[in-house]
Amino acid sequence: MAEADGTIWHGGDLAQAKALFPDAPEPWIDLSTGINPIPYPLPELPLSLWQRLPGAQDEAALLAAARGAYRVPDAAGIVAAPGTQILIELLPRLVEPGPVAVLGPTYGEHALAWRKAGMALREIAKRDEAGDARVVVLVNPNNPDGRLVGRAELSALAQSLAARDGLLVIDEAFVDFTPEASLIPELPPATLVLRSFGKTYGLAGLRLGFAIGEPVLTGRLRAALGPWAVAGPALHVGACALADKAWLDNARIDRTRDAARLDALLAPRGDVVGGTALFRLLETRDAAALFAHLGRGGIYARRFQHDAARLRFGLPGDETSWTRLAAALASFTPDEGPHARRAGTQRPGHD
Amino acid sequence: MAEADGTIWHGGDLAQAKALFPDAPEPWIDLSTGINPIPYPLPELPLSLWQRLPGAQDEAALLAAARGAYRVPDAAGIVAAPGTQILIELLPRLVEPGPVAVLGPTYGEHALAWRKAGMALREIAKRDEAGDARVVVLVNPNNPDGRLVGRAELSALAQSLAARDGLLVIDEAFVDFTPEASLIPELPPATLVLRSFGKTYGLAGLRLGFAIGEPVLTGRLRAALGPWAVAGPALHVGACALADKAWLDNARIDRTRDAARLDALLAPRGDVVGGTALFRLLETRDAAALFAHLGRGGIYARRFQHDAARLRFGLPGDETSWTRLAAALASFTPDEGPHARRAGTQRPGHD
């Protein structure tokens, strides 16, 4: 949801939490994102990765690893970028103008990017409301509610869009732990799939993302990025991590267990209405008060500017954080007085 | 100079050198770029820089350091990007269409980017040939010949462009060691200056560059990049390095000394017709044979597809490399037989 200046505020910036709750105890526990708190262990990074321009072979090695990890069909194109976000920004400038439908509510940057490119955009609540849209965008599984659209439905949607020279954009930022839900292996026509590296691998600061689809479109994205778009260290870390299936398998098991543990902590405070293994969505009429209560305890949840009854929680990364979260949730009483209300209703600065 | 497929080949990718000269001794000495071979020492990089999304404070710290290092006027805008290249790619899509003149010959990606955006582009040899161009692009000091246009002339050009609602784009990628030549401190209207981090600081793989100019235009670039465009480690390394004036001062002295040393080695082989402290341009009718001779010795110079009489040399980074280069240059005789000619005229794959 865009602010007046056209930018969107996000979780993950603790400076905002500290400004809201200056008296909170340190260290802050940042649960405001869906980033895996246990990162992929950084491989050794030779100085040459920092010194020289990233070479064609470095990029080829990363793309080969990504093709394997994401099971990309040989005929499909793939392009790497310094984060999925910049692909979201570039894409609307590289397709023919036409009506766009974004299945919402979802990650706000999609709608904003198409609007910035001057496209007529509708946010729709159901897929069958796409109408005459030539571009349909959805996040699958969705952020923040984890809603998952099945592959058969997506394929049918892609076919109908292909028939009218349209495009289906699927942001699979959170699909890594449920790979059977990915549309990439059977990639239908007129489909572009976005994959993010940093969330699952816990390395969001690295900036690495991919677009996979028809070679003409991925080629246009590659040309728009120009040479050396991805940093040398990111090419190397990405190539190592995406080839490491054992790490991913273990992370899926561990984070799925963590998600269940988080659900158990949240359940007394409301209804866990969705999520993925990396974040859980809590619905409660006391969301504002709970946000403020946790904030005063140095725990930063994610709230939503236009949905005052929901909070999203990422996973704690260590036992100290689990213990502090459990204690904070247990000590919450909905009516904490005027201070809670003030902190709960002041401009949050993020959606 | 663009290849048939619309891409441009550059120095810096040793895989190309190895393909041309598979029997050359290792390790290769890469003199094909203008990257400082003595990099800024990497500061400690806390894991959190890799894990979390880069925060607004991290970006603000980098921009503050860049404003100081580049002496940016308070009223000017500044935007950081994952390398200058992506700014070159984005810029033509963010200004009003109109005729564009690029002062050449120069770094080939400028002309290509404006052409890709559908602009009418002329490459001009002199500034007074700009004619009715609404956008004028020049690299200052120029790559590969080091040609430097004075600040007074640039200001006058900017004023005339401002009068017709135009834009002057100055790529100052190689100005760091001659800061008195930068137009940033007196930034005229209708001027956008590009600054590169990786060359001077010897960290090209990091991907970091800046655009500085009127806030409306830098704001458009920032919006086109979207949030988190620069990786966390790059924000931190850039902020440290750009605040370290002592390192820059020493590097200027050391590299200027190296450039003079290189000139002395090159002088017997032709005329050193220009350059900067990070690269030297040699003019010789034996350029193709010399390129092949050096290549067979595992030394990769930069040649130019459309100028067979010139070679560009970056600086060796250690005494072993200096010694090997000196020996290879001393042992060169223009007529090295058919093998030299073959290697010297086959498709070079770069401009």
Side-chain angles (χ1 to χ4, degrees):
Chain A
M1 286 85 200
E3 299 284 319
D5 65 356
T7 63
I8 295 182
W9 291 71
H10 299 272
D13 198 337
L14 275 180
Q16 295 173 18
K18 290 175 186 171
L20 276 176
F21 304 102
D23 301 326
E26 305 264 352
W28 273 86
I29 299 172
D30 184 7
L31 306 181
S32 70
T33 75
I35 299 167
N36 186 345
I38 314 294
Y40 184 81
L42 284 178
E44 200 187 334
L45 297 173
L47 185 57
S48 64
L49 291 173
W50 302 88
Q51 286 185 272
R52 58 183 175 79
L53 285 167
Q57 288 186 332
D58 304 308
E59 187 179 359
L62 172 71
L63 294 181
R67 279 186 177 272
Y70 300 152
R71 295 171 295 150
V72 179
D74 289 345
I78 179 168
V79 54
T84 307
Q85 180 62 38
I86 202 160
L87 295 167
I88 293 173
E89 304 282 350
L90 288 172
L91 182 60
R93 301 168 191 271
L94 301 176
V95 302
E96 294 294 311
V100 178
V102 173
L103 187 62
T106 189
Y107 181 61
E109 294 282 353
H110 285 290
L112 181 62
W114 293 94
R115 282 200 179 102
K116 282 195 290 193
M119 303 273 192
L121 182 130
R122 284 181 303 130
E123 295 199 48
I124 59 175
K126 294 179 178 173
R127 287 183 305 293
D128 56 14
E129 295 169 5
D132 66 345
R134 242 171 34 83
V135 178
V136 175
V137 181
L138 60 89
V139 181
N140 202 51
N142 192 44
N143 173 7
D145 59 12
R147 179 208 58 225
L148 195 62
V149 183
R151 279 163 29 211
E153 280 186 78
L154 290 175
S155 280
L157 180 56
Q159 298 289 352
S160 73
L161 283 164
R164 54 181 193 267
D165 201 23
L167 178 67
L168 176 63
V169 180
I170 307 179
D171 183 346
E172 294 188 347
F174 288 102
V175 88
D176 289 342
F177 288 152
T178 53
E180 66 283 0
S182 172
L183 205 59
I184 292 177
E186 68 195 68
L187 198 70
T191 301
L192 188 79
V193 180
L194 303 174
R195 295 289 289 248
S196 297
F197 176 80
K199 296 177 177 68
T200 299
Y201 292 87
L203 296 170
L206 182 80
R207 311 312 297 139
L208 182 61
F210 301 87
I212 292 138
E214 298 203 6
V216 171
L217 188 50
T218 57
R220 264 185 234 161
L221 285 163
R222 179 65 178 75
L225 288 164
W228 319 300
V230 179
L235 291 173
H236 183 62
V237 174
C240 293
L242 290 171
D244 192 344
K245 190 168 178 313
W247 183 90
L248 185 67
D249 287 342
N250 285 326
R252 177 177 45 238
I253 293 167
D254 292 345
R255 296 297 83 72
T256 302
R257 182 200 60 211
D258 287 348
R261 182 176 178 185
L262 181 56
D263 283 359
L265 289 184
L266 294 173
R269 301 274 77 94
D271 299 320
V272 178
V273 294
T276 71
L278 289 177
F279 59 81
R280 310 304 293 167
L281 187 65
L282 181 72
E283 198 166 84
T284 163
R285 58 181 185 173
D286 302 317
L290 180 57
F291 175 84
H293 171 80
L294 294 171
R296 285 192 300 275
I299 298 171
Y300 192 34
R302 173 77 181 276
R303 59 181 173 176
F304 300 90
Q305 199 164 4
H306 298 282
D307 190 344
R310 290 178 163 190
L311 290 179
R312 198 190 66 187
F313 292 81
L315 303 175
D318 54 42
E319 281 306 316
T320 306
S321 301
W322 281 106
T323 304
R324 278 179 62 192
L325 176 64
L329 286 169
S331 68
F332 175 65
T333 51
D335 184 13
E336 293 206 354
H339 180 70
R341 247 177 277 283
R342 267 208 313 283
T345 54
Q346 74 186 86
R347 180 177 173 282
H350 58 91
D351 67 334
Chain B
M1 288 91 197
E3 299 284 321
D5 66 355
T7 64
I8 294 182
W9 292 71
H10 299 271
D13 198 337
L14 274 181
Q16 294 173 21
K18 291 175 187 173
L20 276 176
F21 304 102
D23 300 328
E26 304 265 353
W28 273 86
I29 300 171
D30 184 7
L31 306 181
S32 69
T33 75
I35 300 166
N36 186 346
I38 314 295
Y40 185 82
L42 284 178
E44 199 186 337
L45 297 173
L47 185 58
S48 64
L49 290 173
W50 302 88
Q51 285 184 272
R52 58 183 174 79
L53 284 167
Q57 288 187 332
D58 305 306
E59 186 179 0
L62 172 71
L63 295 181
R67 280 186 177 273
Y70 301 151
R71 296 170 296 150
V72 178
D74 288 346
I78 180 169
V79 54
T84 308
Q85 180 62 40
I86 202 160
L87 295 167
I88 293 173
E89 305 281 350
L90 288 173
L91 181 60
R93 303 168 190 270
L94 302 176
V95 303
E96 293 295 311
V100 179
V102 174
L103 187 61
T106 190
Y107 181 60
E109 294 282 353
H110 286 289
L112 181 62
W114 293 94
R115 282 201 178 103
K116 282 196 290 194
M119 303 273 191
L121 182 130
R122 284 179 304 129
E123 295 199 49
I124 60 175
K126 294 179 177 172
R127 288 182 304 293
D128 56 15
E129 296 169 3
D132 66 344
R134 241 169 37 82
V135 178
V136 176
V137 182
L138 60 88
V139 181
N140 203 50
N142 192 44
N143 173 9
D145 59 12
R147 179 208 59 226
L148 196 63
V149 183
R151 278 163 28 212
E153 279 186 78
L154 290 175
S155 280
L157 179 57
Q159 298 288 352
S160 73
L161 283 164
R164 54 180 193 266
D165 201 23
L167 178 67
L168 176 62
V169 180
I170 306 180
D171 182 347
E172 294 189 346
F174 288 101
V175 89
D176 289 342
F177 288 151
T178 53
E180 66 283 1
S182 173
L183 204 61
I184 292 176
E186 67 196 69
L187 197 71
T191 301
L192 188 79
V193 180
L194 303 174
R195 295 289 289 247
S196 297
F197 176 80
K199 296 176 177 69
T200 299
Y201 292 87
L203 297 170
L206 182 79
R207 311 312 298 141
L208 182 60
F210 301 87
I212 292 137
E214 298 202 7
V216 171
L217 188 49
T218 57
R220 264 184 235 161
L221 285 164
R222 179 66 178 74
L225 287 165
W228 320 301
V230 179
L235 292 172
H236 183 63
V237 174
C240 293
L242 289 171
D244 191 343
K245 190 169 176 314
W247 183 90
L248 185 66
D249 288 341
N250 286 325
R252 178 175 47 238
I253 293 167
D254 293 345
R255 297 297 82 73
T256 302
R257 183 200 59 213
D258 288 348
R261 182 177 178 184
L262 181 56
D263 283 359
L265 290 185
L266 294 173
R269 301 274 77 95
D271 299 321
V272 177
V273 294
T276 72
L278 290 177
F279 59 81
R280 310 304 292 167
L281 187 65
L282 181 72
E283 198 165 85
T284 165
R285 57 179 185 174
D286 302 318
L290 180 57
F291 175 84
H293 171 79
L294 295 171
R296 286 193 299 274
I299 297 171
Y300 191 35
R302 171 78 181 277
R303 60 180 173 176
F304 299 90
Q305 198 165 3
H306 297 283
D307 191 345
R310 292 180 160 187
L311 291 179
R312 198 189 66 188
F313 292 81
L315 303 175
D318 54 42
E319 282 306 315
T320 305
S321 301
W322 281 105
T323 304
R324 277 179 63 191
L325 176 63
L329 286 168
S331 67
F332 174 65
T333 52
D335 185 11
E336 293 205 357
H339 180 71
R341 246 177 278 283
R342 269 207 312 283
T345 52
Q346 75 186 81
R347 181 176 173 283
H350 58 92
D351 67 335

